[in-house]
Amino acid sequence: MGRFKKSLMLLVIIALVTITACNGKSGENVEKDNTASNGVSVSEADAAFAKGKYEPAIEISTVMMPREYTQGDTKENNIHDRWMLETLGIKHKDTWYPASDDQYRQKLQLAIASGEKMPDFVTVPTNAVLTNQLIDSGQFIAIDELFDKYANQILKDHVTANPEVWYPFTRDGKKYNLPILEYTDNDDTLLWLREDWMEKLNLQAPKTIADLENIMDKFKNENPDGLAPKDVFPLAISLKNNTNTWMGGLDWLFGAYGTIQEQWNKDADGNLEYGSINPGAKQALAKLQEWMDKGYIHADSALWDEGKSAESWTKGAAGILPGANWVPDWPAPDLLKNVPGSKYKAYPVPAGPDGLIGTKWQNSGVNASIMINKDAEHPEAIFLYYNYLLDNLANPPVGGEFEFGFAQGYDWDMIDGQPTSDKDKIKGFFDKFPYLTGPARIPNLYMKTLVKLADGEEPVTPYEKQMAQFRKPENWYAGKVVMSQLDIRKQNYFTGAATSTMISKWNLLRQSEMETFNKIIYGQLPVDAFDQFVTNWNSNGGEQITKEVNEWFKAVSAK
């Protein structure tokens, strides 16, 4: 009925415009942006939004990152693009198809330097430097007015509740990037323990760091699989590049002592401070040195990236893997394959000796963004497209066109007379569609759904049914664990481009940090070496960087 009313209103407006144009003086042209006798502006864009489709169809240029295609589809002719043209009246022209993320960044930077024409809509990864280079190029418009006029309620509600979404995209009070929404709390840290070891040793959930140490000691010295202590290193972590990372990270341990390392946290006065120089970091390093000495951590951890740290757990040599709720999808299947009879389970992160607890919180529900070229003929088209996906695909209604998935025979099909999106049942299952904005996601919907499933409630909505089929029960439970500790998540508040002093000093400061921390962890330096590190960090540019970071924060967060 709503769609019928919109179409009826459009016909009335078009009729008024036609009458006005016919009755006008000879020689007067009817512009694209016509004005009815009542003064209402009737533009091509407004007509498209009223109808939900451009007629006639328009062409846009954008960027398509490397994609897979199936069933004879190609980048020039595929199920997504056919849908986009038929439903929205939008088709591609002169679109960039870079071969890799690196090639794309290089192409963008070359275009900036040479003044080459860029696509109408440019996807920007989470990269503050690149975002600011694109703003500085002068080729892109601020989107404030477009957003206010065309963004749907899902987008508007989210940025209102999370104003920090705009911080990386704001310059002189203007907003330059359309945020692309992502699931919140999807990367929040929890601990994945070998549940078969926990059961065989009759161990309880670790509530404190001391409890966790007891578990690690049991895993190593009383191993249920009969492994010798020299072959067990209970905690799988990565010390190669970052310790505040997405797998094998240590944010939860630093959080137990009142800080989150490698990010900018708010202090008691609301100012930003670098977490790695907080006194709590010294206590965390002391604990890590102790654990390395006891063999709870593998000596090769400094050589391991995130994936390599996970291998220690999946091969059965470790019993604890810090990771996100999605570990049951990867890498847990490798554990089940490599170690017959193994089980795993998500646990909350433990508290420190003073009751402190915390982990990173990586996003405010934003994955990437899109910038709009100042020469785009239809700058509002990306809103028509994204609104449609958010309204219809992100949480599809019963009976809607996406009730079971995006396309039958791809990400859903009829099996034994019943619709299913179970990837294990669909031959040739495929869901990597070339969405201009990536998959449409409502930030809080994923976790809310996992909690509902973990609580034993029946899935009712199409989205809930898809998640029940697509995600494993261990994943459901992990979501509930994440949400049970929602108040411990600590945001990184600095999301801007490198400050002037960062450009010249940050690489050396980070190198000093990693070297000092690793030497302390490995016992090559005493724990008290941390104090000299902090002194040097401040005098070698850190103090000035802290000042610049806070100046940026005050500017972007000003009401």
Side-chain angles (χ1 to χ4, degrees):
M1 180 63 73
R3 194 162 189 158
F4 174 77
K5 285 183 177 178
K6 285 183 179 179
S7 299
L8 182 60
M9 288 178 64
L10 179 63
L11 289 172
V12 171
I13 292 171
I14 291 173
L16 286 172
V17 173
T18 304
I19 292 169
T20 303
C22 291
N23 291 340
K25 297 177 182 178
S26 61
E28 287 186 344
N29 295 322
V30 180
E31 302 285 338
K32 273 188 178 179
D33 187 7
N34 294 305
T35 302
S37 58
N38 60 2
V40 177
S41 175
V42 187
S43 70
E44 185 179 8
D46 291 341
F49 272 80
K51 188 168 186 179
K53 182 179 183 179
Y54 288 95
E55 289 186 333
I58 65 167
E59 292 183 329
I60 63 168
S61 56
T62 183
V63 179
M64 279 287 105
M65 297 307 295
R67 292 288 178 182
E68 300 173 26
Y69 297 94
T70 188
Q71 301 187 31
D73 284 355
T74 65
K75 66 182 183 182
E76 293 84 9
N77 183 9
N78 58 76
I79 186 68
H80 166 273
D81 288 6
R82 293 191 294 272
W83 163 83
M84 183 172 69
L85 177 58
E86 180 181 345
T87 304
L88 303 176
I90 299 174
K91 57 183 176 180
H92 287 296
K93 68 167 183 179
D94 302 329
T95 286
W96 287 8
Y97 293 95
S100 67
D101 291 345
D102 287 341
Q103 186 195 74
Y104 176 47
R105 280 192 291 270
Q106 291 168 7
K107 187 174 177 66
L108 274 178
Q109 289 167 336
L110 182 62
I112 291 170
S114 65
E116 175 189 349
K117 178 174 170 54
M118 295 192 203
D120 296 332
F121 306 111
V122 169
T123 302
V124 187
T126 305
N127 184 314
V129 172
L130 183 57
T131 296
N132 279 269
Q133 288 176 330
L134 291 167
I135 293 174
D136 289 339
S137 75
Q139 291 202 41
F140 299 92
I141 60 173
I143 68 164
D144 302 71
E145 292 183 11
L146 285 170
F147 190 90
D148 290 344
K149 184 173 183 179
Y150 294 116
N152 74 351
Q153 205 58 45
I154 293 171
L155 269 166
K156 288 181 176 177
D157 287 348
H158 185 72
V159 299
T160 298
N162 301 273
E164 67 274 9
V165 162
W166 293 118
Y167 294 174
F169 313 137
T170 300
R171 173 77 67 82
D172 299 329
K174 296 180 180 179
K175 305 175 182 71
Y176 281 84
N177 300 49
L178 170 64
I180 302 305
L181 301 185
E182 178 57 273
Y183 292 135
T184 47
D185 303 298
N186 194 31
D187 292 314
D188 292 359
T189 305
L190 39 76
L191 300 183
W192 290 95
L193 273 60
R194 282 285 299 276
E195 186 63 9
D196 53 319
W197 289 2
M198 293 289 286
E199 291 174 353
K200 289 174 182 176
L201 291 167
N202 196 29
L203 295 170
Q204 303 300 310
K207 295 182 178 179
T208 65
I209 294 296
D211 293 340
L212 189 69
E213 288 178 300
N214 178 60
I215 290 172
M216 289 194 289
D217 184 72
K218 297 285 187 182
F219 282 1
K220 185 174 185 68
N221 298 306
E222 300 176 27
N223 188 266
D225 286 349
L227 300 175
K230 67 180 181 63
D231 296 324
V232 183
F233 301 91
L235 180 61
I237 62 169
S238 169
L239 297 173
K240 183 177 182 180
N241 299 311
N242 299 289
T243 59
N244 180 353
T245 188
W246 53 272
M247 180 81 74
L250 288 165
D251 52 309
W252 57 276
L253 180 62
F254 282 76
Y257 295 97
T259 189
I260 304 296
Q261 82 285 20
E262 299 176 1
Q263 69 176 43
W264 293 84
N265 310 304
K266 274 188 181 180
D267 64 18
D269 298 321
N271 297 314
L272 303 193
E273 67 163 8
Y274 187 56
S276 295
I277 66 167
N278 182 284
K282 180 178 181 180
Q283 295 174 278
L285 290 170
K287 185 57 66 178
L288 287 167
Q289 186 183 87
E290 181 184 334
W291 290 353
M292 180 67 75
D293 185 59
K294 289 182 177 179
Y296 295 164
I297 300 171
H298 199 288
D300 289 342
S301 295
L303 305 174
W304 290 354
D305 62 14
E306 293 82 356
K308 190 67 176 178
S309 69
E311 281 185 23
S312 176
W313 186 72
T314 59
K315 289 180 177 178
I320 305 166
L321 176 67
N325 75 90
W326 40 258
V327 162
D329 283 335
W330 181 86
D334 290 340
L335 170 66
L336 302 182
K337 180 175 64 176
N338 295 333
V339 186
S342 59
K343 295 164 60 177
Y344 60 90
K345 183 180 177 181
Y347 283 86
V349 300
D354 297 325
L356 299 175
I357 187 168
T359 74
K360 63 178 171 58
W361 191 58
Q362 282 193 317
N363 69 66
S364 298
V366 173
N367 182 36
S369 63
I370 288 179
M371 299 183 75
I372 302 175
N373 196 312
K374 64 181 176 61
D375 296 324
E377 188 175 350
H378 299 279
E380 78 292 335
I382 194 66
F383 288 92
L384 183 75
Y385 175 92
Y386 195 32
N387 288 351
Y388 193 94
L389 291 185
L390 287 173
D391 288 334
N392 297 281
L393 180 62
N395 188 17
V398 174
E401 63 181 301
F402 302 126
E403 179 176 6
F404 307 117
F406 182 74
Q408 185 175 1
Y410 289 79
D411 63 339
W412 76 275
D413 214 339
M414 299 295 293
I415 305 293
D416 298 327
Q418 295 295 322
T420 182
S421 58
D422 188 336
K423 56 187 173 183
D424 295 326
K425 294 181 180 179
I426 300 172
K427 184 179 180 180
F429 178 89
F430 182 87
D431 65 350
K432 299 179 176 65
F433 304 107
Y435 301 117
L436 307 187
T437 53
R441 290 171 172 171
I442 297 173
N444 65 356
L445 183 61
Y446 174 62
M447 280 297 169
K448 285 170 61 177
T449 301
L450 292 187
V451 171
K452 179 176 181 176
L453 295 172
D455 284 339
E457 296 184 46
E458 286 296 316
V460 176
T461 69
Y463 179 85
E464 291 169 355
K465 291 177 180 178
Q466 289 175 29
M467 286 297 105
Q469 292 178 336
F470 200 77
R471 297 294 179 180
K472 297 177 175 65
E474 293 89 349
N475 199 163
W476 308 349
Y477 178 74
K480 186 173 182 178
V481 172
V482 167
M483 298 307 283
S484 74
Q485 292 191 311
L486 199 58
D487 59 339
I488 73 165
R489 312 297 171 182
K490 311 298 182 184
Q491 183 174 348
N492 177 18
Y493 281 92
F494 180 64
T495 53
T499 68
S500 57
T501 307
M502 273 185 175
I503 292 171
S504 60
K505 303 285 189 180
W506 191 251
N507 286 343
L508 289 175
L509 290 175
R510 276 291 291 147
Q511 181 181 349
S512 171
E513 177 184 340
M514 290 301 295
E515 288 179 357
T516 302
F517 281 22
N518 276 350
K519 285 181 178 180
I520 291 174
I521 292 169
Y522 280 84
Q524 297 168 5
L525 284 175
V527 174
D528 284 344
F530 175 84
D531 301 327
Q532 187 60 49
F533 156 74
V534 173
T535 299
N536 294 342
W537 188 91
N538 279 307
S539 61
N540 290 333
E543 185 174 6
Q544 178 61 27
I545 288 171
T546 300
K547 179 182 177 182
E548 292 168 358
V549 164
N550 277 283
E551 288 172 351
W552 168 88
F553 183 63
K554 289 174 183 175
V556 298
S557 59
K559 298 295 184 184

